[in-house]
């Protein structure tokens, strides 16, 4: 029995995903990444058709309710992009844009194909990040990174809503809402 663990082969660990619905969770990890990179740090190895990855914040939550287990990693986008069908007729007929994956794409100064950043869609991305910060106790003017760090250190609980949003023919569980956990009467006294 002395060499029991020395002879063991490492296998991929199981990660019990949170099911669809509302869950009280806590943030255990976050990492700045992008849409071209897996959570492991490895490249996705997929050609998206454009050269500009979307900046993303990968956040991992675990169940924080007694008797419940599981977790989920979710990616929040830092930028939003113009959809091709949002271009005006004049822009579409100009020849300056091509549609790739539903997005309006054009060549940048280096000749690379890139998407057009949308101020409106980017504002929606920032609003989602602000909802996360608010659910974690962040206030207007706080530093976002400090809010995340403090939430991890303090094991701050929040409520998330998980939905199934199929992607490329496969089920994909993702977070659609962040909400602060309501204080109990005992906590208010």
């Amino acid at each position: 029995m002395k060499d029991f663990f020395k002879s063991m082969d490492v296998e991929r660990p199981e990660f019990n995903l949170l099911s669809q619905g509302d869950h009280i969770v806590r943030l255990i990890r976050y990492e700045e990444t992008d849409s071209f990179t897996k959570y492991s740090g490895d490249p996705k190895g997929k050609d998206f058709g454009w050269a500009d990855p979307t900046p993303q914040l990968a956040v991992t939550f675990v169940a924080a309710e007694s008797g419940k287990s599981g977790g989920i990693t979710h990616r929040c986008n830092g930028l939003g992009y113009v959809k091709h069908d949002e271009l005006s007729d004049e822009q579409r007929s100009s020849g300056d844009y091509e549609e790739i994956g539903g997005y309006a794409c054009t060549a940048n100064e280096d000749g690379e194909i890139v998407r057009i950043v949308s101020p409106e869609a980017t504002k929606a991305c920032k609003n989602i990040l602000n909802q996360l910060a608010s659910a974690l106790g962040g206030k207007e003017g706080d530093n976002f990174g400090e809010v995340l760090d403090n939430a991890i250190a303090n094991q701050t609980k929040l409520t998330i809503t998980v939905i199934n949003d199929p992607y490329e023919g496969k089920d994909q569980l993702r977070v659609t809402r962040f909400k602060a956990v309501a204080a109990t009467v005992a906590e208010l006294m």
Side-chain angles (χ1 to χ4, degrees):
M1 284 298 233
K2 176 172 122 177
D3 293 329
F4 180 83
F5 295 104
K6 286 184 180 180
S7 64
M8 186 176 99
D9 291 334
V10 175
E11 299 174 3
R12 182 182 178 145
E14 292 182 21
F15 187 70
N16 182 28
L17 288 174
L18 292 172
S19 60
Q20 294 180 64
D22 291 338
H23 300 276
I24 296 175
V25 297
R26 62 186 177 85
L27 177 68
I28 62 164
R29 179 178 178 203
Y30 71 93
E31 183 174 331
E32 289 189 44
T33 186
D34 63 56
S35 59
F36 289 0
T37 307
K38 294 179 184 178
Y39 194 57
S40 65
D42 296 328
K44 285 189 176 176
K46 177 180 176 181
D47 181 10
F48 292 89
W50 50 78
D52 55 329
T54 305
Q56 294 182 327
L57 180 73
V59 287
T60 301
F61 302 100
V62 295
E65 294 177 86
S66 179
K68 297 198 177 179
S69 66
I72 191 166
T73 297
H74 179 75
R75 289 175 178 243
C76 299
N77 290 331
L79 295 173
Y81 302 92
V82 175
K83 299 283 188 173
H84 191 265
D85 62 6
E86 295 172 343
L87 294 175
S88 68
D89 291 338
E90 183 180 325
Q91 288 172 313
R92 271 191 288 249
S93 64
S94 71
D96 293 336
Y97 305 95
E98 63 180 294
E99 181 177 358
I100 301 175
Y103 292 100
C105 297
T106 190
N108 67 11
E109 59 277 356
D110 296 326
E112 298 173 313
I113 300 298
V114 295
R115 294 166 293 165
I116 308 301
V117 174
S118 164
E120 295 82 17
T122 297
K123 182 178 179 181
C125 293
K126 189 170 185 180
N127 187 48
I128 291 167
L129 292 166
N130 284 329
Q131 288 174 19
L132 171 59
S134 178
L136 292 170
K139 305 287 185 241
E140 188 175 347
D142 287 350
N143 175 275
F144 187 75
E146 289 176 10
V147 169
L148 297 176
D149 290 338
N150 289 336
I152 292 171
N154 297 325
Q155 298 187 14
T156 303
K157 294 178 183 179
L158 69 152
T159 301
I160 61 170
T161 301
V162 177
I163 65 161
N164 182 21
D165 186 19
Y167 178 72
E168 295 183 348
K170 295 181 184 175
D171 285 348
Q172 180 180 358
L173 296 174
R174 65 183 196 91
V175 178
T176 61
R177 186 174 73 151
F178 306 103
K179 185 178 172 191
V181 173
T184 65
V185 174
E187 292 171 331
L188 295 173
M189 298 183 141

